[in-house]
């Protein structure tokens, strides 16, 4: 079970945590909602939960709760620019269907 | 797929419920758009990576160009290239002509609106601003990848209702919902998180490309009050460049008249680069045409000194207006690119006796604060996080008898607010009331700004003082005013929304507050005189109508006595001695007391005729 980050993602996360001025890392997760059933969670972490799985890469701590990990195993977190828009993208091999905008997905 | 941003713990938005909003700094020289992404505000760049958009619009037959491209046209096609449109917002043609620096434009007088004639036809300043906003909004949408719920747009603290309304109209024209108009100094304070504190006095020193503003704010319980504003609408970074350019010409033995337009432009750009280089080093090599030389930081500071002193005088004046001394200022916020000049920072910190806040890019700090506020207003933060309130900059009121201003909402009242006051008729049988809405701090109508006039008609004829007219002033969260007048017995009402009206020059606005302090005593005296005059007229009016009705109750000699008093009062009321008028009023009232008593008796016996006292006694007992 593993989750990876691209260099672009690592750099951007480090930068964001630095400018926020606090936090131990970021959290990846999924929650049930949206038109295709599941949606991604991407948040700063101030206090990790004891059950969290920790992945560390390039100095960035990435936390995932065990339930979410089932849906996220093998995911690569990327940071991309599309025109003027920029943000994080989940390359998740488990996904079978996405809603039109890609904000929610199903497995 | 949609690109995600990092959220605060536990606050990930649900899919399709991200609320996107931007903050816009709509500046005189440059504009910026910013948004909160992954929890921190950032300014948004265009495709070429430029964050600042020059506030310049070029009109041509093929379409409209905004920003850098438009700015490049300024020299070749000045008539169709509109710069510094912010100075024209909410102003009349008369004001703009007085400013005197818009010679290249062809103005058309359309009901006092300063319309500009370009090759594409007539356009007004609101439309020009809307073009700038459209570009920023499009950039915001592309950067955030979605529709915006709205924008927070910043305006100078001294902007009056007409200028705020014009800004809001421009936003409407650009197709964006205005979440809030926010004062620029307040936005800068928000960017530094100063609103998270409880109290404090904050000085915001804003030295931009072409304007200088100083604002003194007081934060108390999350509310920003504007205590005083000041500045110079024709002083900025460009003047610093001119200083260096003149120095170069002097050193090189050149005359400005001898330089071609393009040489002059390149000289200014060399001067600007030298200024920027001296921010981080102690000397810079300057090359212009065949001349080259060294400019020392110290030498440069000497060149800037007169300009900097000018800003410091404005700071002192603003503090005096706010009734504060330099040690009562808790924080100093630096805004505008020119505050990077070390001599400026040094001078400000010496005067105010503390280190100014400079950690946020001074060019972007206003836009960043606006973005933070936009994020909150769009509903992306818990509501208890920040509820930022603004205040009205100048008191609002209306004209009462004698040309006096009656304040209904006092300045520095937090908005939104609604306040009502009851007024009555002044003459018997008066069926209409003219409502004249005013803004300002002075006592006399003529010294304040006229915002609107409307008439409430259809009041049923009654004796003077019997009709009750409730006038309600309502100011929404953007500081925009609507006034409603209602006659309470009939319910008839009339409402006016304050639309841009024109007629106040730049200096007048910033000096309005100052005037009110300087003229406080004069104003109080004049108010006293007017009040006595109005009282005298009211009394004379009452006596005249009483004499017409019940004059027969007075003996000839008594009548002569009353007439004499009335004539004397009338004469004094036309003069300017408030005390004499007051005495005459009291004397006249005393002399006519007996007459009033007789009228009362006559009226009572008239009402009683046909009844016996017993009838009334019985009624009372029941």
């Amino acid at each position: 079970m593993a989750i990876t980050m691209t260099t672009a993602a690592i750099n951007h996360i480090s930068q964001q945590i630095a400018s926020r001025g606090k936090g131990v890392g970021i959290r990846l997760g999924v929650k049930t909602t949206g038109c295709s059933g599941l949606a991604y969670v991407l948040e700063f972490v101030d206090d990790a939960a004891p059950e969290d799985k920790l992945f560390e890469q390039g100095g960035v701590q990435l936390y995932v709760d065990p339930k979410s990990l089932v849906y996220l195993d093998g995911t690569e977190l990327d940071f991309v620019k599309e025109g003027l828009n920029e943000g994080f993208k989940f390359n998740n091999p488990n996904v079978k269907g996405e809603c039109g905008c890609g904000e929610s997905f199903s497995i | 797929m949609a690109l995600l941003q990092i959220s605060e713990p536990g606050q990930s938005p649900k899919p399709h419920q991200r609320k996107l909003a931007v903050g816009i700094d709509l500046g005189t020289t440059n504009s910026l758009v910013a948004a909160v992404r992954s929890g921190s505000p950032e300014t948004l760049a265009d495709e070429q990576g430029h964050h600042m958009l020059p506030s310049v619009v070029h009109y041509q037959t093929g379409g409209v160009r905004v920003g850098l491209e438009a700015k490049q046209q300024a020299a070749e096609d000045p008539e169709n290239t509109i710069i510094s449109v912010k100075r024209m917002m909410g102003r009349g043609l008369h004001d703009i002509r007085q400013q005197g620096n818009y010679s290249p434009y062809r103005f058309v007088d359309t009901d006092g609106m300063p319309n500009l004639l370009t090759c594409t036809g007539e356009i007004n300043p609101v439309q020009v601003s809307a073009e700038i906003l459209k570009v920023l909004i499009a950039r915001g949408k592309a950067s955030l990848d979605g529709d915006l719920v709205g924008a927070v747009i910043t305006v100078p603290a001294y902007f009056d209702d007409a200028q705020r309304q014009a800004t809001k109209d421009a936003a409407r024209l650009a197709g964006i919902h205005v979440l809030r108009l926010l004062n620029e100094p307040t936005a800068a304070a928000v960017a530094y998180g100063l609103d998270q504190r409880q109290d404090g006095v904050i000085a915001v020193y804003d030295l931009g490309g072409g304007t200088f503003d100083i604002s003194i704010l007081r934060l108390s319980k999350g509310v920003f009050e504007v205590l005083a504003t000041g500045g110079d609408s024709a002083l900025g970074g460009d003047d610093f460049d001119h200083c260096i350019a003149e120095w170069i010409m002097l050193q090189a033995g050149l005359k400005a008249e001898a330089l071609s337009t393009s040489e002059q432009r390149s000289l200014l750009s060399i001067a600007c680069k030298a200024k920027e280089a001296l921010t981080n080093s102690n000397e810079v090599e300057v090359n212009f045409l065949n001349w080259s030389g060294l400019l020392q930081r110290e030498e440069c500071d000497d060149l800037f000194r007169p300009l900097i002193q000018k800003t410091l005088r404005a700071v002192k004046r603003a503090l005096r207006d706010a009734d504060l001394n330099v040690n009562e200022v808790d924080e100093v916020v630096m805004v505008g690119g020119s505050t990077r000049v070390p001599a400026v920072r040094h001078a400000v910190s010496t005067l105010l006796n503390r280190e100014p806040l400079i950690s946020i890019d001074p060019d972007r700090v206003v836009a960043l604060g606006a973005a933070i506020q936009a994020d909150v207003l769009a509903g992306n933060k818990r509501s208890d996080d920040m509820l930022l309130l603004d205040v009205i900059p100048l008191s609002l009121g209306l004209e009462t008898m004698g040309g006096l201003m009656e304040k209904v909402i006092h300045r520095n009242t937090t908005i939104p607010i609604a306040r009502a006051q009851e007024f009555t008729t002044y003459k018997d049988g008066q069926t209409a009331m003219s409502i004249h809405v005013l803004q300002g701090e002075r006592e006399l109508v003529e010294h304040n700004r006229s915002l609107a006039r409307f008439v409430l008609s259809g009041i049923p004829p009654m004796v003077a003082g019997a009709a009750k007219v409730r006038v309600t002033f309502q100011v929404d969260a953007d500081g925009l005013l609507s006034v409603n007048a209602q006659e309470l017995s009939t319910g008839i009402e009339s409402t006016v929304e304050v639309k841009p009206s024109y007629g106040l020059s730049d200096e007048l606005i910033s000096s309005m507050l100052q005037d009110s302090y300087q003229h406080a005593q004069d104003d109080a005296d004049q108010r006293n005189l007017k009040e006595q005059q109005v009282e005298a007229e009211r009394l004379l009016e009452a006596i005249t109508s009483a004499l017409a009705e019940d004059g027969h109750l007075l003996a000839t000699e008594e009548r002569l006595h009353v007439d004499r008093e009335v004539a004397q009062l009338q004469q004094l009321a036309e003069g300017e001695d408030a005390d004499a008028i007051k005495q005459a009023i009291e004397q006249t009232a005393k002399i006519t007391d007996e007459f009033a008593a007789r009228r009362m008796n006559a009226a009572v016996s008239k009402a009683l005729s046909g009844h016996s006292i017993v009838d009334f006694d019985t009624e009372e007992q029941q």
Side-chain angles (χ1 to χ4, degrees):
Chain A
M1 291 247 190
I3 291 177
T4 57
M5 290 173 274
T6 63
T7 316
I10 290 168
N11 290 340
H12 196 76
I13 293 166
S14 316
Q15 215 180 308
Q16 292 290 344
I17 290 175
S19 78
R20 182 170 176 261
K22 59 173 181 177
V24 295
I26 61 156
R27 171 181 302 286
L28 252 63
V30 293
K31 57 182 180 185
T32 52
T33 177
C35 43
S36 291
L38 295 168
Y40 293 113
V41 168
L42 184 62
E43 291 174 355
F44 292 109
V45 177
D46 287 327
D47 302 294
E51 69 274 15
D52 280 341
K53 292 283 251 178
L54 172 65
F55 300 92
E56 187 169 350
Q57 204 183 335
V60 170
Q61 321 255 357
L62 196 154
Y63 298 86
V64 185
D65 70 277
K67 266 197 203 160
S68 295
L69 192 54
V70 179
Y71 301 103
L72 291 173
D73 189 27
T75 294
E76 180 197 54
L77 182 65
D78 195 6
F79 182 79
V80 296
K81 287 187 190 231
E82 292 176 356
L84 290 180
N85 185 21
E86 57 178 39
F88 292 93
K89 196 171 178 172
F90 288 70
N91 295 320
N92 185 349
N94 307 300
V95 171
K96 301 218 171 56
E98 271 181 5
C99 80
C101 67
E103 277 196 52
S104 57
F105 63 97
S106 60
I107 290 180
Chain B
M1 68 170 282
L3 302 180
L4 300 177
Q5 309 297 331
I6 313 173
S7 306
E8 284 297 303
Q11 291 183 41
S12 286
K14 289 182 183 152
H16 314 292
Q17 298 208 341
R18 292 180 303 155
K19 298 224 180 79
L20 306 174
V22 293
I24 292 175
D25 174 4
L26 189 59
T28 308
T29 321
N30 291 297
S31 296
L32 282 156
V33 57
V36 172
R37 284 204 280 197
S38 297
S40 43
E42 54 188 43
T43 53
L44 307 174
D46 66 5
E47 279 89 348
Q48 285 80 45
H50 299 299
H51 289 255
M52 279 209 226
L53 178 75
S55 305
V56 183
V57 181
H58 179 236
Y59 287 85
Q60 59 196 350
T61 33
V64 178
R65 281 193 285 186
V66 180
L68 215 52
E69 278 189 337
K71 196 177 170 183
Q72 282 154 2
Q73 303 298 319
E76 285 153 42
D77 190 11
E79 280 185 3
N80 296 313
T81 311
I82 318 299
I83 59 167
S84 300
V85 69
K86 191 175 178 179
R87 295 180 198 266
M88 300 180 224
M89 293 291 277
R91 294 300 173 77
L93 189 50
H94 179 69
D95 301 326
I96 291 166
R97 289 240 163 92
Q98 274 188 342
Q99 291 176 10
N101 41 4
Y102 294 102
S103 41
Y105 308 131
R106 290 168 294 172
F107 285 106
V108 187
D109 191 338
T110 316
D111 302 329
M113 286 267 287
N115 285 5
L116 299 148
L117 194 62
T118 70
C119 58
T120 56
E122 239 181 79
I123 49 141
N124 63 47
V126 170
Q127 289 170 305
V128 179
S129 282
E131 293 298 340
I132 300 168
L133 285 172
K134 275 184 206 163
V135 173
L136 296 169
I137 296 298
R139 191 193 290 179
K141 281 184 185 170
S143 303
L144 303 174
D145 192 29
D147 274 333
L148 306 177
V149 296
V152 167
I153 302 177
T154 59
V155 291
Y158 60 76
F159 255 30
D160 66 20
D161 258 55
Q163 292 167 299
R164 283 167 201 265
Q165 182 67 55
T167 307
K168 225 181 167 189
D169 287 346
R172 196 178 313 136
L173 213 55
I176 183 74
H177 170 64
V178 178
L179 294 166
R180 175 85 53 100
L181 295 180
L182 187 64
N183 284 333
E184 286 161 8
T186 308
V190 167
Y192 276 104
L194 299 181
D195 53 305
Q196 303 295 327
R197 304 187 185 174
Q198 277 306 301
D199 309 289
V201 172
I202 301 157
V204 182
Y205 180 99
D206 183 350
L207 189 57
T211 55
F212 168 66
D213 292 309
I214 174 74
S215 310
I216 311 292
L217 310 177
R218 170 173 281 141
L219 176 68
S220 56
K221 301 186 193 84
V223 176
F224 280 101
E225 283 176 47
V226 180
L227 296 182
T229 63
D232 189 333
S233 57
L235 174 66
D238 300 346
D239 298 297
F240 288 71
D241 298 345
H242 279 288
C243 272
I244 298 183
E246 272 164 32
W247 178 84
I248 296 173
M249 283 193 290
L250 194 72
Q251 301 295 312
L254 295 164
K255 289 248 164 18
E257 305 88 72
L259 298 176
S260 70
T261 320
S262 72
E263 280 170 337
Q264 281 184 12
R265 216 174 306 146
S266 102
L267 173 63
L268 277 179
S269 118
I270 288 167
C272 181
K273 287 207 180 81
K275 174 184 74 178
E276 285 169 12
L278 285 175
T279 302
N280 297 314
S281 63
N282 285 322
E283 60 176 30
V284 61
E285 197 189 319
V286 184
N287 298 295
F288 180 61
L289 302 178
N290 298 320
W291 179 85
S292 81
L294 277 180
L295 178 58
Q296 308 283 339
R297 162 97 67 88
E298 265 176 43
E299 210 168 350
C300 186
D301 289 350
D302 286 340
L303 297 173
F304 291 165
R305 188 155 295 129
L307 295 175
I308 296 174
Q309 286 304 324
K310 222 168 152 182
T311 69
L312 295 185
R313 279 197 292 277
V315 174
K316 287 182 202 156
R317 208 177 305 132
L319 282 170
R320 213 164 39 235
D321 289 349
D323 207 11
L324 292 170
N325 66 48
V326 289
N327 294 319
E328 288 172 277
V329 176
D330 297 302
E331 292 288 358
V332 183
V333 177
M334 299 296 251
V335 181
S338 308
T339 59
R340 289 199 188 87
V341 173
V344 170
R345 289 182 179 177
H346 182 71
V348 173
S349 74
T350 309
L351 175 69
L352 295 175
N353 210 5
R354 65 195 57 247
E355 280 306 308
L357 296 171
I358 51 168
S359 60
I360 302 176
D361 183 339
D363 281 322
R364 304 184 188 183
V365 63
V366 168
L368 295 174
I372 293 171
Q373 182 73 0
D375 194 44
V376 174
L377 291 171
N380 289 333
K381 280 203 174 170
R382 281 172 305 217
S383 57
D384 58 326
D385 230 20
M386 183 170 73
L387 181 64
L388 181 62
L389 295 169
D390 242 322
V391 296
I392 56 165
L394 295 165
S395 300
L396 295 163
L398 38 78
E399 176 173 352
T400 58
M401 282 309 295
L404 292 172
M405 168 164 171
E406 173 89 20
K407 287 171 190 162
V408 177
I409 302 180
H410 287 263
R411 90 187 181 91
N412 282 331
T413 305
T414 56
I415 48 178
I417 178 135
R419 205 163 271 175
Q421 207 150 311
E422 274 182 23
F423 293 88
T424 187
T425 46
Y426 178 76
K427 284 197 173 183
D428 289 345
Q430 184 180 340
T431 56
M433 194 181 261
S434 165
I435 313 262
H436 185 193
V437 183
L438 301 162
Q439 184 166 31
E441 303 310 315
R442 302 288 300 277
E443 298 289 349
L444 297 189
V445 167
E446 65 214 62
H447 294 146
N448 290 301
R449 173 161 211 196
S450 166
L451 290 177
R453 284 171 193 273
F454 66 106
V455 173
L456 178 71
S457 49
I459 300 172
M462 289 182 240
V463 290
K468 277 187 180 153
V469 176
R470 176 182 301 216
V471 179
T472 310
F473 277 59
Q474 188 168 346
V475 183
D476 71 12
D478 300 316
L480 300 175
L481 169 71
S482 61
V483 181
N484 169 284
Q486 188 178 30
E487 201 288 306
L488 294 177
S489 68
T490 53
I492 55 149
E493 60 182 321
S494 182
T495 301
V496 68
E497 263 179 49
V498 175
K499 289 284 173 211
S501 57
Y502 306 99
L504 212 64
S505 77
D506 205 335
E507 279 124 25
L508 265 174
I509 288 180
S510 52
S511 69
M512 267 173 111
L513 282 177
Q514 215 179 313
D515 278 2
S516 73
Y517 297 111
Q518 282 172 1
H519 298 281
Q521 189 56 49
D522 291 355
D523 275 5
D525 293 346
Q526 270 175 311
R527 168 171 277 271
N528 187 24
L529 173 62
K530 292 277 182 188
E531 275 172 356
Q532 296 305 334
Q533 285 172 335
V534 169
E535 182 59 22
E537 276 171 45
R538 195 196 57 75
L539 185 63
L540 290 168
E541 179 91 22
I543 294 175
T544 310
S545 78
L547 285 174
E549 213 171 299
D550 293 322
H552 60 273
L553 294 173
L554 290 174
T556 320
E557 205 170 306
E558 286 171 326
R559 174 65 188 255
L560 280 172
H561 191 41
V562 169
D563 281 349
R564 240 190 343 263
E565 281 303 323
V566 165
Q568 198 194 346
L569 179 58
Q570 218 148 22
Q571 199 189 344
L572 282 169
E574 280 160 23
E576 302 214 320
D577 188 342
D579 290 339
I581 301 173
K582 195 173 176 202
Q583 275 176 11
I585 289 170
E586 280 166 10
Q587 202 183 324
T588 309
K590 215 162 105 192
I591 283 163
T592 51
D593 265 356
E594 170 61 20
F595 176 43
R598 272 187 232 166
R599 289 191 72 208
M600 189 72 82
N601 287 340
V604 168
S605 48
K606 202 165 145 199
L608 289 179
S609 64
H611 296 278
S612 73
I613 296 294
V614 183
D615 290 343
F616 290 94
D617 280 351
T618 348
E619 271 170 30
E620 251 172 48
Q621 280 160 7
Q622 277 167 355

